[in-house]
Amino acid sequence: MKKLLLSLFIAAIIPCAAQAQLKGLLDKAKNKVEGVTGKGSLSNADIGNGLKEALKEGVSKQVTKLTAEDGFYKNEAVKILLPEELQKVDKKLRQMGMSKMADEGIKVLNRAAEDAVKEATPIFVDAITGMTIADAKNILMGADNSATLYLEKSTTKPLYAKFSPVVSTSLSNVGADVIWENIINKYNSLPLVSKVNPDLTDYVTNKALNGVFKMISVEEKNIRTNLSSRTSDLLKKVFALQDNK
């Protein structure tokens, strides 16, 4: 009865054209809501599963790129350059016509990072699988790098523990330890220079971690802003919630 009276009241005081315009606005709002939720609210489980799907896909994509040969070395965003302590070594070697030795020294550092990152995927998957519903909602509705920050907080320590021995072994396998021993010895033998002895394993391990998280943040932003990167109906619905927050 109340709905009927309200309809009669609206009909009496609002002209037909205005009624049509009002109906159009209401229908548009309804369609927007249904487009987001799929004619029904997404469950908490849907939101969690959608976000986990997106993160697993994004992490796998970026980790695979980084583990390829030159994944670090030819990616200017994450390429490992020399630590500050060794930049003077590099400069001095180039001044003395030993640029090839200096270039090889940089390349082997990046090769070690490419090897180490192969250990990353299982650790990321564990962190994503253990994500709570509250974590998922906070990430979905948070800043553009919320997922990256969550993974960085959850995985940095176990990743370092996995990366470090791999970096050490890789530096040995590719002869980096010998290359850098020769470079450092050559530099330290020069007159009037301060001797250096950097911990290259720790340096490369931390740079590898930085590179992984940097590329994951790129992928997270892509998923959040690029509609074509949402490769399933669930992802489209979940991130539509973010788009309309």
Side-chain angles (χ1 to χ4, degrees):
M1 179 62 74
K2 287 182 180 180
K3 289 184 178 179
L4 176 60
L5 291 174
L6 181 60
S7 298
L8 292 173
F9 177 72
I10 291 173
I13 64 172
I14 300 179
C16 290
Q19 289 181 45
Q21 185 177 13
L22 178 61
K23 183 177 184 303
L25 290 172
L26 292 172
D27 287 344
K28 184 177 180 181
K30 180 182 177 183
N31 290 336
K32 184 176 181 180
V33 172
E34 289 182 345
V36 170
T37 62
K39 296 186 178 181
S41 297
L42 285 171
S43 69
N44 288 334
D46 287 334
I47 293 172
N49 290 336
L51 189 63
K52 289 178 182 181
E53 178 186 330
L55 288 178
K56 286 179 181 177
E57 184 176 307
V59 165
S60 176
K61 178 179 178 181
Q62 292 303 328
V63 167
T64 299
K65 286 181 180 179
L66 291 174
T67 59
E69 183 171 317
D70 293 329
F72 273 82
Y73 187 63
K74 290 189 177 179
N75 182 342
E76 292 301 321
V78 296
K79 182 179 180 178
I80 298 175
L81 302 177
L82 295 179
E84 185 176 351
E85 187 180 8
L86 290 181
Q87 287 174 12
K88 57 186 178 182
V89 178
D90 181 84
K91 182 177 179 180
K92 195 71 174 178
L93 291 175
R94 294 182 191 279
Q95 288 174 347
M96 298 178 65
M98 291 184 280
S99 296
K100 186 175 180 180
M101 176 182 280
D103 289 338
E104 187 63 22
I106 293 174
K107 182 183 289 187
V108 293
L109 297 184
N110 285 271
R111 288 287 182 266
E114 290 156 11
D115 285 343
V117 173
K118 294 173 184 176
E119 302 291 324
T121 298
I123 294 173
F124 281 126
V125 169
D126 285 346
I128 294 167
T129 302
M131 187 183 294
T132 67
I133 290 173
D135 290 331
K137 283 189 170 182
N138 289 336
I139 290 170
L140 181 65
M141 306 309 287
D144 286 349
N145 65 340
S146 293
T148 304
L149 292 176
Y150 170 86
L151 290 174
E152 191 169 355
K153 181 179 178 181
S154 304
T155 65
T156 293
K157 286 185 178 180
L159 284 174
Y160 186 97
K162 280 285 189 179
F163 282 14
S164 183
V166 176
V167 167
S168 180
T169 300
S170 180
L171 289 175
S172 177
N173 287 343
V174 298
D177 51 349
V178 175
I179 290 170
W180 273 104
E181 183 180 356
N182 290 337
I183 289 174
I184 291 169
N185 287 340
K186 177 73 71 174
Y187 177 81
N188 286 341
S189 69
L190 297 174
L192 304 177
V193 300
S194 301
K195 296 186 184 301
V196 297
N197 187 27
D199 183 347
L200 288 177
T201 296
D202 178 72
Y203 176 76
V204 173
T205 299
N206 281 306
K207 286 296 183 181
L209 287 170
N210 292 342
V212 169
F213 291 123
K214 185 167 189 176
M215 296 314 298
I216 288 175
S217 71
V218 169
E219 186 64 21
E220 178 181 3
K221 185 175 181 180
N222 182 50
I223 292 171
R224 288 183 184 273
T225 59
N226 185 356
L227 296 179
S228 65
S229 69
R230 301 170 188 177
T231 54
S232 71
D233 289 339
L234 180 57
L235 288 186
K236 290 173 184 175
K237 289 179 180 180
V238 168
F239 281 95
L241 293 174
Q242 168 213 262
D243 296 340
N244 290 273
K245 67 181 178 182

